[in-house]
Amino acid sequence: MERIVIFGATSGIARAVAEEFLAQGDELLLVGRSADALKILARDLEVLGGGKPVPWFIWDVLDFEGHAFRFRELISTHDVKGLFMAAGVLIPQKDCDADPAKTTLTFNSNLTGPAAVMGLFAEYFKEKRSGFISCLSSVAGDRGRGSITAYAASKAGLSAYLEGLANRIQHDGVLIQTVKPGYVRTAMTEGLQSMLIASPAKVARDIVKAIRCRREMIYTPFYWRYIMGVIRLIPESIFRKLGL
Amino acid sequence: MREPYLPRGQGRSYGDAGLPALHHVALNSSHLDHFISFDSTTGILEAEAGVTLERILNFCIPKGFFLPVTPGTKFVSLGGALASNVHGKNHHKTGSIEHFVIEMEVATPAGTFVCSLDQNRELFLSTMGGYGLTGAITRAKLKLKPVQNAQVECLRVKAANIDDMFGLFAKHDPDYEYSVAWLDTLAKGRKLGRGILMLGNHAQVNAGERKIEATEVSHKFSVSIPFAMPDFLLNEKFLTLFNRAFYLVSGNGKRTRENFESYFYPLDRIGNWNLLYGKSGFFQYQCVIPDPKSEEGILACLNFLSENRLGAFLSVLKRCGDDEVLLLFCKKGYTLALDIPFRGPETLKSLDRLDELVLKFGGRVYLTKDARLKPDMFRAMYPEFKEWMETVRRFNPNRLSSSRMAERLELWNES
Ligand SMILES: Cc1cc2nc3c(=O)[nH]c(=O)nc-3n(C[C@H](O)[C@H](O)[C@H](O)COP(=O)(O)OP(=O)(O)OC[C@H]3O[C@@H](n4cnc5c(N)ncnc54)[C@H](O)[C@@H]3O)c2cc1C
Ligand SMILES: NC(=O)c1ccc[n+]([C@@H]2O[C@H](COP(=O)([O-])OP(=O)(O)OC[C@H]3O[C@@H](n4cnc5c(N)ncnc54)[C@H](OP(=O)(O)O)[C@@H]3O)[C@@H](O)[C@H]2O)c1
C-alpha cells in the first residue's frame, strides 16, 4: 500500500494535515526527529483511523551526511506516493543577530535541509512518473522582512527552490506544490494575537483539497493572496517605514 | 525542586479555581491532547488530559458514541472536566462524570500514580472534583455511551410559576434522560419562578434511516460578540423585558428534533458570549439545595433574587442525583445556576446574604464557578473538606500545586 510521508509530523500544521489525509482514507508514514513524540502521535492517529497502524521513521532534516542513506532506507521499507514537508523553525531575529549559529540553523532547517530531502524524493517520483511533494513555505518569503530577516529569506529561498523543482519535473506527472500559509495557531506562533490567525484544521483542509486539485501554489487562508498582492506592490521606500 | 504550579485546562472555569496561587505558574495541558486507545465494543476511550471534549465528540459521534456526562460547553479539557467532577443535564439519572472514569493517571508532587475506585482509591476520590490540588491529571480512561444518532428529541414545557415547575420536573424526569429548566428570575409574585423545562432523549433511528446521521460538527461560531456590550443593556428594565419576551415566545409542549450542538452547547455558538455582560462582567453563582428541603430552599432563593433584583439572562434549575467523591458538589435535590451582573460592592454583599440562605437549607456553592465565597462559609457548607484536605496534603505536602481559590478559602490553614 502506498503511503504519504509526513515530514516534520509533530508540527501543528502537519498533524492537522495528517488527520485530513487519514479522513480521506490515505495511509501515512510519520517522519520526525523525536521517537517519543512520534510514538504518541502515531497512536493518536491510529485511534482516529479506527485502529489502522501508523508507522513512523526517524529522520533529522539537519542530518546532511545521512540524507541519502535515510532516504534509501525509507524507500526500501515503504511504498511512497507523496511527501508533505513541514519541518522548519522560527527563531527570533534578535537571537540570530546575537548568535550567527542561529542564522545558520534557520537556513539549514528551513531551506538547505528540506531542499536536500525534497531533491531526493523529486528524482524518485520523476522516475515513477507519479507522486506529489507539498511543502510549507510562508507568506513571509514574499518580501524581504526586517523583523524576521533570516526566516523570511529562508522561506523566499524555499519558494524559489520549489518553483524550480516544479519547472524541472512538472511534465513527468509529478505535482510540486508550494503552500504559503499566513498566521496559523501552532507552537510556532504561541502567544501571537491576531485577527487573521487561522486554525491548523482550516489550513489543512485547504492544503489537502489543493493537492487533490493538483494546484502548484496556494495561499491559505485564501485572503493572504490578496494581502500579499498588495504588500508586494508597496514601494520599498514606504515598506521600510512600516517596520514589518 | 520544580517551580510551583497549577494545572490548567482550557480556562473555562468561571472563578479563581483555575488561577495559579501567588508565585505559581499555570501548567499548560493543551499540548497533552492525544488519544491513546479506543475500544469500540466497550466504548472505553483512553486519552491525554488536555484533549478537549470537542475533540472527543468529533471523534466518537461518527462511531456511535457520546459523552456519558457533559457540561454546557464542549470547549473544556478532559482534565478540567475531571478536576471539577462536572455534571450535566442527566445528573438526576447518572450522577457526575466520576461514575464513568475507569482510571486516571495523576502526576502528584509525591510521584505519579494510576488511580481508580479499586487502586489508590483515596487519590482517585480526592482528585476527581479536587480542582488540581493533588497535582496534574495526565491521562484518563473514560467510558463513552453508545448512541444511535447525533440528534436529540426535545420537549419544551412551560411552567407558570415555581410550584408548577417542581411538578413538571417530578412528572417528566423519569421519562427523560436530560432535563433542565430556564427560569425568569425577575418575575415576581404569582409568576415567581416561571420558566421553561427543556427535556431531551437521544434520538432513536427510525426504520429506513441510516444509523448515524451526518454529525455536522460545526467548524466555526455562528455569531460572535465583537466587543463588550454597553452597560445599559444590563439594566433591570431591559433584562425584565428580555426575560418576559423569552418566556412568552417559547411554545408550550413543543416537540423538536435538534442537533446535539444546539441542545447541549447553545452558548458555544456565540463566540465571546461573556462580553454580553459588558466591561464590569458578572459572577456565576451555582448552588445545590438537597432534599427534603430543596423545594423550600429554592423558593426562598428565588424570593431573595426577585426582591434584590439580582437575576439576569441565564438562570438555570435542574434536579441532581448522588455522587461519591470526597469534595462533592451535587447532592440529591435541586441546583440553581445564575449569572449575576456585577454592579459593585452591593452585589458582593447580596451574594454573601444568599450564601447564608443557601447554608440555612443545608446547601452549598459550586467551587468551579465561584470567586468570592468566604473561608468560614466554605467550611460550613463543605464539612467533609478536612478529610479531602488530608489526602491532598499527603500527595501535595508543600503546596507545590495551588490556586488562588485555595488561598482565598484558606485551604492550607490547619483548621
Ligand atoms: C458556558 C459554560 C457552561 C458550563 N456548564 C457546566 C455544567 O453544566 N456543569 C458543570 O459541572 N460545569 C460547567 N461549566 C464549568 C466547567 O465545566 C468547569 O469549570 C471545567 O472544569 C472547565 O474545564 P477547563 O478545561 O476549562 O479547566 P480550567 O478552567 O482551566 O481549570 C478548572 C480546574 O481544573 C483544574 N485542572 C485543569 N486541568 C487539570 C488537569 N489536567 N489535572 C488536574 N487539574 C486540572 C484546574 O487547576 C482548575 O482548578 C461550564 C462552564 C462554561 C464556561
Ligand atoms: N504557524 C504559522 O503561522 C506558519 C505560517 C507560515 C508557514 N509556517 C511553516 O509551516 C511549517 C510548520 O510550522 P508549524 O506552525 O506547524 O510549527 P511547529 O509546530 O513548530 O512545527 C515545526 C516542525 O518542524 C520540525 N523540525 C524542526 N527542525 C527539525 C529538524 N531538524 N528535523 C526534523 N524536523 C524538524 C519540528 O519537529 P520537532 O517537533 O521535533 O521540533 C516540528 O515538527 C514550518 O515550516 C513553518 O515555517 C508556519
Side-chain angles (χ1 to χ4, degrees):
Chain A
M1 115 220 10
E2 292 201 301
R3 295 184 183 276
I4 298 173
V5 173
I6 311 283
F7 205 114
T10 50
S11 118
I13 298 176
R15 183 178 172 196
V17 168
E19 283 183 20
E20 199 62 28
F21 279 135
L22 207 61
Q24 141 181 305
D26 286 315
E27 307 272 343
L28 306 173
L29 172 61
L30 311 181
V31 174
R33 55 181 167 173
S34 151
D36 287 344
L38 288 174
K39 259 184 237 169
I40 290 170
L41 184 63
R43 273 192 88 159
D44 176 76
L45 291 166
E46 206 170 304
V47 172
L48 280 180
K52 238 178 0 187
V54 177
W56 49 273
F57 186 89
I58 299 280
W59 190 348
D60 189 323
V61 84
L62 299 173
D63 179 15
F64 292 99
E65 308 287 296
H67 283 329
F69 177 78
R70 298 307 280 153
F71 175 73
R72 270 199 307 279
E73 188 176 320
L74 188 149
I75 285 303
S76 63
T77 44
H78 299 281
D79 268 345
V80 176
K81 69 168 179 188
L83 167 68
F84 180 73
M85 172 57 77
V89 295
L90 173 55
I91 301 173
Q93 185 55 35
K94 63 175 183 341
D95 297 355
C96 293
D97 295 339
D99 177 4
K102 296 267 162 62
T103 303
T104 312
L105 182 62
T106 300
F107 278 95
N108 282 345
S109 311
N110 294 351
L111 174 57
T112 335
V117 172
M118 289 191 293
L120 293 163
F121 279 93
E123 281 307 306
Y124 171 77
F125 290 141
K126 185 179 163 202
E127 203 99 308
K128 273 184 38 171
R129 304 190 73 80
S130 74
F132 72 85
I133 295 178
S134 169
C135 175
L136 292 176
S137 184
S138 172
V139 293
D142 279 11
R143 236 179 137 168
R145 298 273 300 274
S147 59
I148 39 170
T149 323
Y151 179 80
S154 70
K155 290 294 185 182
L158 184 64
S159 297
Y161 182 82
L162 289 161
E163 192 182 337
L165 268 190
N167 288 341
R168 178 145 59 89
I169 60 177
Q170 66 186 350
H171 304 298
D172 299 301
V174 182
L175 168 72
I176 306 288
Q177 180 182 75
T178 310
V179 180
K180 296 185 178 176
Y183 301 129
V184 189
R185 184 154 312 291
T186 67
M188 193 174 271
T189 50
E190 198 157 320
L192 176 82
Q193 297 286 342
S194 165
M195 287 269 289
L196 293 177
I197 202 155
S199 72
K202 156 80 184 127
V203 167
R205 282 193 296 274
D206 282 358
I207 293 171
V208 171
K209 186 167 165 222
I211 293 173
R212 242 187 349 253
C213 305
R214 302 193 73 78
R215 287 176 55 192
E216 290 190 0
M217 216 277 287
I218 65 156
Y219 284 91
T220 165
F222 71 95
Y223 43 78
W224 283 95
R225 171 181 299 277
Y226 306 102
I227 296 176
M228 294 323 290
V230 171
I231 287 188
R232 271 195 310 272
L233 290 177
I234 301 175
E236 200 55 47
S237 55
I238 297 176
F239 191 67
R240 207 158 278 175
K241 296 204 179 101
L242 298 178
L244 290 169
Chain B
M1 207 188 82
R2 63 168 307 171
E3 205 176 358
Y5 63 88
L6 178 75
R8 181 170 176 92
Q10 290 291 315
R12 298 276 160 168
S13 56
Y14 287 79
D16 51 4
L19 301 181
L22 198 65
H23 307 307
H24 286 58
V25 297
L27 198 64
N28 181 359
S29 65
S30 64
H31 301 295
L32 275 183
D33 64 343
H34 299 93
F35 293 129
I36 299 169
S37 65
F38 179 65
D39 182 335
S40 56
T41 46
T42 58
I44 294 176
L45 174 73
E46 185 179 10
E48 293 178 338
V51 167
T52 61
L53 298 190
E54 181 184 33
R55 185 165 155 84
I56 295 180
L57 289 166
N58 286 348
F59 166 70
C60 72
I61 288 182
K63 298 196 155 45
F65 288 92
F66 197 74
L67 291 166
V69 164
T70 174
T73 170
K74 57 184 159 64
F75 302 139
V76 304
S77 68
L78 177 59
L82 304 193
S84 294
N85 192 22
V86 294
H87 56 270
K89 296 178 170 128
N90 52 357
H91 198 276
H92 62 289
K93 293 264 188 197
T94 60
S96 293
I97 200 162
E98 55 170 288
H99 303 286
F100 303 92
V101 178
I102 311 290
E103 65 172 43
M104 62 187 172
E105 183 185 82
V106 192
T108 77
T112 298
F113 305 94
V114 173
C115 62
S116 66
L117 280 178
D118 306 320
Q119 188 187 358
N120 293 315
R121 183 181 167 92
E122 283 183 341
L123 179 61
F124 182 83
L125 292 177
S126 56
T127 301
M128 287 297 306
Y131 304 103
L133 297 183
T134 54
I137 302 165
T138 47
R139 59 180 174 80
K141 280 189 188 161
L142 184 69
K143 190 166 168 60
L144 302 177
K145 99 198 208 158
V147 289
Q148 297 191 331
N149 204 294
Q151 298 191 321
V152 183
E153 308 262 17
C154 313
L155 171 65
R156 285 181 164 69
V157 247
K158 268 185 175 178
N161 56 42
I162 192 67
D163 279 334
D164 207 9
M165 186 62 90
F166 291 142
L168 288 177
F169 267 109
K171 177 174 167 210
H172 290 291
D173 262 358
D175 301 330
Y176 284 88
E177 180 169 358
Y178 300 102
S179 74
V180 67
W182 170 85
L183 296 188
D184 175 359
T185 38
L186 290 166
K188 296 184 240 194
R190 274 183 304 112
K191 295 177 185 152
L192 186 77
R194 70 175 176 185
I196 298 146
L197 178 62
M198 293 171 269
L199 301 148
N201 278 323
H202 286 285
Q204 305 289 312
V205 280
N206 303 322
E209 269 178 0
R210 269 194 306 135
K211 195 165 167 251
I212 291 292
E213 289 173 19
T215 60
E216 285 173 49
V217 185
S218 58
H219 293 294
K220 52 176 176 246
F221 294 115
S222 308
V223 272
S224 194
I225 309 296
F227 46 78
M229 287 294 128
D231 288 343
F232 70 82
L233 281 184
L234 288 163
N235 77 19
E236 207 191 303
K237 274 213 187 82
F238 178 80
L239 289 173
T240 309
L241 276 175
F242 175 91
N243 279 0
R244 187 182 300 160
F246 192 90
Y247 178 79
L248 291 176
V249 302
S250 301
N252 191 13
K254 202 165 108 192
R255 283 178 197 277
T256 51
R257 208 173 148 115
E258 284 181 26
N259 186 279
F260 78 96
E261 294 199 290
S262 62
Y263 183 76
F264 289 104
Y265 312 112
L267 275 182
D268 287 356
R269 308 181 136 205
I270 310 175
N272 302 329
W273 60 267
N274 47 312
L275 295 182
L276 283 173
Y277 284 97
K279 284 213 174 98
S280 12
F282 68 101
F283 284 101
Q284 160 104 181
Y285 187 97
Q286 184 172 0
C287 62
V288 67
I289 301 195
D291 291 344
K293 288 201 186 147
S294 63
E295 296 191 359
E296 195 189 334
I298 294 293
L299 183 63
C301 289
L302 290 177
N303 268 315
F304 180 88
L305 290 166
S306 167
E307 275 159 26
N308 292 278
R309 315 308 292 158
L310 283 178
F313 296 113
L314 299 164
S315 308
V316 163
L317 182 71
K318 81 158 272 83
R319 281 292 298 172
C320 287
D322 282 315
D323 282 342
E324 256 184 80
V325 295
L326 284 180
L327 194 73
L328 53 79
F329 166 68
C330 288
K331 292 189 153 211
K332 203 172 168 76
Y334 275 102
T335 174
L336 181 65
L338 311 155
D339 282 358
I340 312 249
F342 180 61
R343 297 195 168 104
E346 323 86 79
T347 309
L348 288 169
K349 275 193 210 123
S350 304
L351 291 179
D352 286 344
R353 278 166 42 225
L354 187 53
D355 288 342
E356 278 161 26
L357 195 61
V358 168
L359 180 66
K360 195 174 116 196
F361 289 96
R364 48 182 62 189
V365 161
Y366 192 10
L367 295 182
T368 207
K369 301 193 170 175
D370 174 57
R372 37 141 306 273
L373 198 65
K374 300 261 169 36
D376 290 345
M377 189 50 89
F378 165 71
R379 281 160 175 70
M381 287 176 168
Y382 287 85
E384 71 280 14
F385 96 99
K386 284 191 177 154
E387 197 189 341
W388 170 63
M389 274 311 287
E390 256 169 47
T391 322
V392 169
R393 278 213 182 80
R394 192 139 50 81
F395 289 97
N396 181 15
N398 302 314
R399 318 175 187 184
L400 198 62
S401 178
S402 180
S403 60
R404 288 279 178 89
M405 180 187 82
E407 288 180 331
R408 170 173 56 87
L409 298 177
E410 297 171 6
L411 293 182
W412 303 110
N413 293 6
E414 274 314 316
S415 56

